[in-house]
Amino acid sequence: MNSRKLKAWQAQHAAMLHQALEATRTRKPYQPYSDEMVDYDNAQVEQGAYRFKRLLGAPLHIEPQPQCRSQEHWAGSERSPYGFDLGISYRVEDFQVLACKADKAMRKWRQLEVEQRSALLCEVVNRLHADTFLFAHVGMHTSGHGLFMGFHANAVHAQARALESVAGVLAVSRELTCQFEAPMAVGQGQQQALSREFATMPTGLSLIFAGQVVPTWGAYPGLFASLAAGCAAIVVPHGNAVLPIALTIKTIKAVCAQVGVPQDIVNLFYSDELSAYRQAALHPDVRLIDYMGGTEFGCWLRQHAWQARVMTQQSAQTAVFLHSTGDYDGMLENLAFGLCSYSAQLCTSPQTLYVLPEGILLEDGVVTVEQFERDLVARIEQVLGRYSSLRDLLGAMLVPTSLSEIRACEAARFARVLRHAEEVRDPDYPQARIVTPSLIAVRQGFSSSIKHYAQEIRGPVSFVIQKPDLRCLLAELREVGQHHGTLGLGLYTLDSRVEHALRNISQEMGALLSINFSKNFYISQCAVFSDIHGGSTGAAANTTYGSPAFYHARLRVTEQRKLL
């Protein structure tokens, strides 16, 4: 092992890691890398596009020194939401083989001090950052991002999530590790000197299921936390978003190879047999499972993978209550952009907009529900009109059936359509699935309509829902959170009593509450190091990114004591 190189990385990344530790402790905003594209050279953007195109139509080797093996099986079926096949294939390996490799590698990996593992992982994050615009373009064509969102969600913000996890595990490890000597007497006996040493060990093999919407942002917290804790990790990518995970693992392996650390501390498990993923989750060596994705498989994991600690982030939606505001124009702007951005495919995008019959109260008057509906539609049109290329704002739809689901909602008896979803043809990507927002007012008296708007709909449709009073509104929010999944709550109010009520219910539901967000800080945004993600309660999630429990799960405490 190249200890000299590891020490050099410790020195090189010491300042960044110290700042990350401080941000983890204080939760004050911290950005290890700029998330403003103007701070980067345009040539980097072009180079990222060029490197992405060079990957198309060929096998991707993730090992630093690939070796040709007889009877290798390769597979891959990724298709860009912008309308073309990537043609990239990945090596398919038996999970049992990967688990054996992981066990062997972990025996050496866990022997490194947590500070050394942290330094190595900081070097990985730094190299991922050097590939920022490659990942931005990859995000476009595996997850339907616009370029700017790919730059954020699949690159710089994901890199910050990785660093956050490294710092979180390092902080927890230091808290749990100590050594001391102390006198001790048993009964009436003579005092004796006793030494105690408390140390941490990795929980075991970590299995990470990555989603498609934000594959790196969603997978990096569990991946980097497990690696920092000394666990080996195997990552299962979404079948249409393999490339960002494969490139990440390729980078980790390259860094490990440079210092003689076993590369099998991390591997990609990809299969063209869906049943293989369930079998992998039940493997007796798997001790940790991180999952981000749909509710059905997440619930299956919770019910069946009893040998592992299962941590899930599942389908969810975000509700907004519009009670009163001191900035009506800023509120409209915030909501309209949220309904348009990435076709509202994030679980943090506003999907249900709740109002009361008296309308939205202002400091000097009131806006009726009908006027608000007209104003919101007009503001959506304004937001759309600012973009010469709507794909930059809307991105592309991931689920081929999303538009038909939206049309079904628009045609439902409960629906009064305020704005119809419209298909957009992009001249550069004529096969892309690009759709403008649908806005639907829910007619009163259709109690069954809740089953349509309470579940997450992966596409640009939002509902204006009028409840007779605050008590009924809070009851429905609680029901949706418990049985369908609410990840976030938005609130616009000038009334401290209403704010108090929503604070209480958001804590019960484990939902992130955003109060009076206006203009260009959006409800859907989540600031790494400051904001948590997932509330550990209700149907949406049973774990929280950025919480101590998320890191503690990957470590177990050991004790050794000696009579001196």
Coordinates of all heavy atoms in Angstrom, one line a residue, residues 247-294:
L247 N -19.6 5.0 -14.1 CA -18.5 6.0 -14.2 C -18.0 6.3 -12.8 O -16.8 6.5 -12.5 CB -19.0 7.2 -14.9 CG -19.2 7.1 -16.4 CD1 -19.8 8.4 -16.9 CD2 -17.9 6.8 -17.1
T248 N -18.9 6.4 -11.8 CA -18.5 6.7 -10.4 C -17.6 5.5 -9.9 O -16.6 5.8 -9.3 CB -19.7 6.8 -9.5 OG1 -20.5 7.9 -10.0 CG2 -19.4 7.0 -8.1
I249 N -18.1 4.3 -10.1 CA -17.3 3.1 -9.6 C -16.0 3.0 -10.3 O -14.9 2.7 -9.7 CB -18.1 1.9 -9.8 CG1 -19.4 1.9 -8.8 CG2 -17.3 0.6 -9.5 CD1 -20.3 0.8 -9.0
K250 N -15.9 3.4 -11.6 CA -14.7 3.4 -12.3 C -13.7 4.3 -11.7 O -12.5 4.0 -11.5 CB -15.0 3.8 -13.8 CG -13.8 3.8 -14.7 CD -14.2 4.2 -16.1 CE -13.0 4.3 -17.0 NZ -12.5 2.9 -17.4
T251 N -14.2 5.5 -11.3 CA -13.3 6.5 -10.6 C -12.8 6.0 -9.3 O -11.6 6.1 -8.9 CB -14.1 7.8 -10.4 OG1 -14.5 8.3 -11.7 CG2 -13.2 8.9 -9.7
I252 N -13.7 5.4 -8.5 CA -13.3 4.9 -7.2 C -12.2 3.8 -7.3 O -11.2 3.8 -6.6 CB -14.5 4.3 -6.4 CG1 -15.5 5.4 -6.1 CG2 -14.0 3.7 -5.1 CD1 -16.8 5.0 -5.5
K253 N -12.4 2.9 -8.3 CA -11.5 1.8 -8.5 C -10.1 2.4 -8.9 O -9.0 1.9 -8.5 CB -12.0 0.9 -9.5 CG -13.1 -0.1 -9.0 CD -13.6 -1.0 -10.1 CE -14.6 -2.0 -9.6 NZ -13.9 -3.1 -8.8
A254 N -10.1 3.4 -9.8 CA -8.9 4.0 -10.2 C -8.1 4.6 -9.1 O -6.8 4.5 -9.0 CB -9.2 5.1 -11.3
V255 N -8.8 5.3 -8.2 CA -8.1 5.9 -7.0 C -7.5 4.8 -6.1 O -6.4 4.9 -5.6 CB -9.1 6.8 -6.2 CG1 -8.4 7.3 -4.9 CG2 -9.4 8.0 -7.1
C256 N -8.3 3.7 -5.9 CA -7.8 2.6 -5.1 C -6.6 2.0 -5.7 O -5.6 1.6 -5.0 CB -8.9 1.6 -4.9 SG -10.3 2.1 -3.9
A257 N -6.6 1.8 -7.0 CA -5.5 1.1 -7.7 C -4.2 1.9 -7.5 O -3.1 1.4 -7.4 CB -5.8 0.9 -9.2
Q258 N -4.4 3.2 -7.5 CA -3.2 4.1 -7.4 C -2.4 3.9 -6.1 O -1.2 4.2 -6.0 CB -3.6 5.6 -7.6 CG -2.4 6.5 -7.8 CD -2.9 7.9 -8.2 OE1 -4.0 8.1 -8.6 NE2 -2.0 8.9 -8.1
V259 N -3.1 3.6 -5.0 CA -2.5 3.4 -3.7 C -2.4 2.0 -3.2 O -2.1 1.7 -2.1 CB -3.1 4.3 -2.7 CG1 -2.8 5.8 -3.0 CG2 -4.6 4.1 -2.6
G260 N -2.8 1.0 -4.1 CA -2.8 -0.4 -3.7 C -3.9 -0.8 -2.7 O -3.7 -1.8 -2.0
V261 N -5.0 -0.1 -2.7 CA -6.2 -0.5 -1.9 C -7.0 -1.5 -2.8 O -7.2 -1.3 -4.0 CB -7.0 0.7 -1.5 CG1 -8.3 0.3 -0.9 CG2 -6.2 1.5 -0.5
P262 N -7.5 -2.6 -2.2 CA -8.3 -3.5 -3.0 C -9.5 -2.8 -3.8 O -10.3 -2.1 -3.1 CB -8.9 -4.5 -2.0 CG -7.9 -4.4 -0.9 CD -7.4 -3.0 -0.8
Q263 N -9.5 -3.0 -5.1 CA -10.5 -2.3 -5.9 C -11.9 -2.9 -5.6 O -12.9 -2.2 -5.9 CB -10.2 -2.5 -7.4 CG -8.9 -1.8 -7.7 CD -8.5 -2.2 -9.2 OE1 -9.4 -2.3 -10.0 NE2 -7.2 -2.4 -9.4
D264 N -12.0 -4.1 -5.1 CA -13.3 -4.7 -4.9 C -14.0 -4.3 -3.7 O -15.0 -4.9 -3.3 CB -13.1 -6.3 -4.9 CG -12.8 -6.8 -6.2 OD1 -13.4 -6.4 -7.2 OD2 -11.9 -7.7 -6.3
I265 N -13.6 -3.2 -3.1 CA -14.4 -2.6 -2.0 C -15.6 -2.0 -2.6 O -16.6 -1.7 -1.9 CB -13.6 -1.5 -1.3 CG1 -13.2 -0.3 -2.2 CG2 -12.4 -2.0 -0.5 CD1 -12.8 0.9 -1.5
V266 N -15.7 -1.8 -3.9 CA -16.9 -1.4 -4.6 C -17.0 -2.1 -5.9 O -16.0 -2.3 -6.7 CB -16.9 0.2 -4.8 CG1 -15.7 0.6 -5.7 CG2 -18.2 0.7 -5.3
N267 N -18.2 -2.5 -6.3 CA -18.5 -3.1 -7.6 C -19.9 -2.7 -8.0 O -20.8 -2.3 -7.3 CB -18.4 -4.6 -7.4 CG -16.9 -5.1 -7.8 OD1 -16.4 -4.8 -8.8 ND2 -16.3 -5.8 -6.8
L268 N -20.1 -2.9 -9.3 CA -21.4 -2.7 -10.0 C -22.0 -4.1 -10.2 O -21.4 -5.0 -10.7 CB -21.2 -2.0 -11.3 CG -22.4 -1.8 -12.2 CD1 -23.1 -0.5 -11.7 CD2 -22.1 -1.6 -13.6
F269 N -23.3 -4.2 -9.7 CA -24.1 -5.4 -10.0 C -25.2 -5.0 -11.0 O -26.1 -4.3 -10.7 CB -24.7 -6.0 -8.8 CG -25.5 -7.2 -9.0 CD1 -24.9 -8.3 -9.7 CD2 -26.8 -7.3 -8.6 CE1 -25.7 -9.4 -10.0 CE2 -27.6 -8.4 -8.8 CZ -27.0 -9.5 -9.5
Y270 N -25.0 -5.5 -12.2 CA -26.0 -5.2 -13.3 C -26.4 -6.6 -13.9 O -25.6 -7.4 -14.1 CB -25.4 -4.4 -14.4 CG -26.3 -4.1 -15.5 CD1 -27.5 -3.3 -15.3 CD2 -26.1 -4.6 -16.8 CE1 -28.4 -3.0 -16.4 CE2 -27.0 -4.4 -17.8 CZ -28.1 -3.6 -17.6 OH -29.0 -3.4 -18.6
S271 N -27.7 -6.7 -14.1 CA -28.2 -8.0 -14.6 C -29.3 -7.7 -15.6 O -30.1 -6.7 -15.4 CB -28.6 -8.9 -13.5 OG -29.2 -10.1 -14.0
D272 N -29.5 -8.5 -16.6 CA -30.7 -8.4 -17.4 C -31.8 -9.3 -17.0 O -32.8 -9.4 -17.6 CB -30.3 -8.8 -18.9 CG -29.4 -10.0 -19.0 OD1 -29.3 -10.7 -18.0 OD2 -28.9 -10.2 -20.1
E273 N -31.6 -9.9 -15.8 CA -32.7 -10.7 -15.1 C -33.1 -9.9 -13.9 O -32.4 -9.8 -12.9 CB -32.2 -12.1 -14.8 CG -31.8 -12.9 -15.9 CD -33.0 -13.4 -16.7 OE1 -34.1 -13.4 -16.2 OE2 -32.8 -13.7 -17.9
L274 N -34.3 -9.4 -13.9 CA -34.8 -8.6 -12.7 C -34.9 -9.4 -11.4 O -34.7 -8.8 -10.4 CB -36.2 -8.0 -13.1 CG -36.2 -6.9 -14.2 CD1 -37.7 -6.4 -14.4 CD2 -35.3 -5.8 -13.9
S275 N -35.1 -10.7 -11.6 CA -35.2 -11.5 -10.3 C -33.9 -11.6 -9.6 O -33.8 -11.8 -8.4 CB -35.7 -12.9 -10.7 OG -34.7 -13.5 -11.6
A276 N -32.8 -11.3 -10.3 CA -31.4 -11.4 -9.7 C -31.3 -10.3 -8.6 O -30.6 -10.4 -7.7 CB -30.4 -11.2 -10.8
Y277 N -32.0 -9.1 -8.8 CA -31.9 -8.1 -7.8 C -32.5 -8.4 -6.5 O -32.1 -8.1 -5.4 CB -32.5 -6.8 -8.4 CG -31.8 -6.3 -9.6 CD1 -32.5 -5.8 -10.7 CD2 -30.4 -6.3 -9.7 CE1 -31.8 -5.4 -11.9 CE2 -29.7 -5.9 -10.8 CZ -30.4 -5.4 -11.9 OH -29.8 -5.0 -13.0
R278 N -33.6 -9.2 -6.6 CA -34.3 -9.6 -5.3 C -33.4 -10.7 -4.6 O -33.3 -10.7 -3.4 CB -35.7 -10.2 -5.6 CG -36.6 -9.1 -6.2 CD -38.1 -9.5 -6.1 NE -38.9 -8.4 -6.6 CZ -40.2 -8.2 -6.2 NH1 -40.7 -9.0 -5.3 NH2 -40.9 -7.2 -6.7
Q279 N -32.9 -11.5 -5.4 CA -32.0 -12.6 -4.8 C -30.8 -11.9 -4.2 O -30.3 -12.3 -3.1 CB -31.5 -13.5 -5.9 CG -32.7 -14.4 -6.5 CD -32.2 -15.2 -7.7 OE1 -31.1 -15.2 -8.1 NE2 -33.2 -15.8 -8.4
A280 N -30.2 -10.8 -4.8 CA -29.1 -10.1 -4.2 C -29.5 -9.5 -2.9 O -28.7 -9.6 -1.9 CB -28.6 -9.1 -5.2
A281 N -30.6 -8.9 -2.8 CA -31.1 -8.3 -1.6 C -31.2 -9.3 -0.4 O -31.1 -8.9 0.8 CB -32.4 -7.6 -1.8
L282 N -31.4 -10.5 -0.7 CA -31.6 -11.6 0.3 C -30.4 -12.3 0.6 O -30.4 -13.2 1.4 CB -32.7 -12.5 -0.1 CG -34.1 -12.0 -0.4 CD1 -35.1 -13.0 -0.8 CD2 -34.6 -11.2 0.8
H283 N -29.2 -12.0 0.0 CA -28.0 -12.7 0.2 C -27.6 -12.5 1.7 O -27.6 -11.4 2.2 CB -26.9 -12.1 -0.7 CG -25.7 -12.9 -0.8 ND1 -24.7 -12.9 0.2 CD2 -25.2 -13.8 -1.7 CE1 -23.7 -13.8 -0.1 NE2 -24.0 -14.3 -1.3
P284 N -27.2 -13.6 2.3 CA -26.9 -13.6 3.7 C -25.7 -12.6 4.1 O -25.7 -12.2 5.3 CB -26.5 -15.0 4.1 CG -26.2 -15.7 2.8 CD -27.0 -15.0 1.8
D285 N -24.8 -12.3 3.2 CA -23.7 -11.4 3.5 C -24.1 -9.9 3.5 O -23.4 -9.1 4.1 CB -22.6 -11.6 2.5 CG -21.8 -12.9 2.7 OD1 -22.1 -13.6 3.7 OD2 -20.9 -13.2 1.9
V286 N -25.3 -9.6 2.9 CA -25.7 -8.2 2.8 C -26.2 -7.8 4.2 O -27.2 -8.4 4.7 CB -26.8 -8.1 1.8 CG1 -27.4 -6.6 1.8 CG2 -26.2 -8.4 0.4
R287 N -25.6 -6.7 4.7 CA -26.0 -6.2 6.1 C -26.7 -4.9 6.0 O -27.3 -4.5 7.0 CB -24.8 -6.2 7.0 CG -24.2 -7.6 7.4 CD -25.2 -8.2 8.4 NE -24.8 -9.5 8.8 CZ -25.2 -10.7 8.2 NH1 -26.1 -10.6 7.2 NH2 -24.8 -11.8 8.6
L288 N -26.5 -4.1 4.9 CA -27.0 -2.8 4.8 C -27.7 -2.7 3.4 O -27.0 -3.1 2.4 CB -26.0 -1.7 4.9 CG -25.3 -1.5 6.3 CD1 -24.0 -0.8 6.1 CD2 -26.3 -0.7 7.2
I289 N -28.8 -2.1 3.3 CA -29.5 -1.9 2.0 C -29.9 -0.4 2.0 O -30.7 0.0 2.9 CB -30.6 -2.8 1.7 CG1 -30.2 -4.3 1.6 CG2 -31.3 -2.4 0.4 CD1 -31.3 -5.3 1.4
D290 N -29.4 0.3 1.0 CA -29.9 1.7 0.8 C -30.7 1.6 -0.5 O -30.2 1.1 -1.5 CB -28.8 2.7 0.6 CG -28.1 3.0 1.9 OD1 -28.5 3.8 2.7 OD2 -27.0 2.3 2.2
Y291 N -31.9 2.2 -0.5 CA -32.8 2.1 -1.6 C -33.4 3.5 -1.9 O -34.0 4.1 -1.0 CB -33.9 1.1 -1.4 CG -34.9 1.1 -2.5 CD1 -34.7 0.5 -3.8 CD2 -36.2 1.6 -2.3 CE1 -35.6 0.5 -4.8 CE2 -37.1 1.6 -3.3 CZ -36.9 1.1 -4.5 OH -37.8 1.1 -5.5
M292 N -33.4 3.9 -3.1 CA -34.2 5.1 -3.6 C -34.9 4.7 -4.8 O -34.3 4.3 -5.8 CB -33.3 6.3 -3.8 CG -34.1 7.5 -4.4 SD -33.1 9.0 -4.6 CE -33.2 9.7 -2.9
G293 N -36.2 4.8 -4.8 CA -37.0 4.4 -6.0 C -38.5 4.2 -5.6 O -39.0 4.8 -4.6
G294 N -39.2 3.5 -6.5 CA -40.6 3.3 -6.3 C -41.0 2.6 -5.0 O -40.2 1.8 -4.4

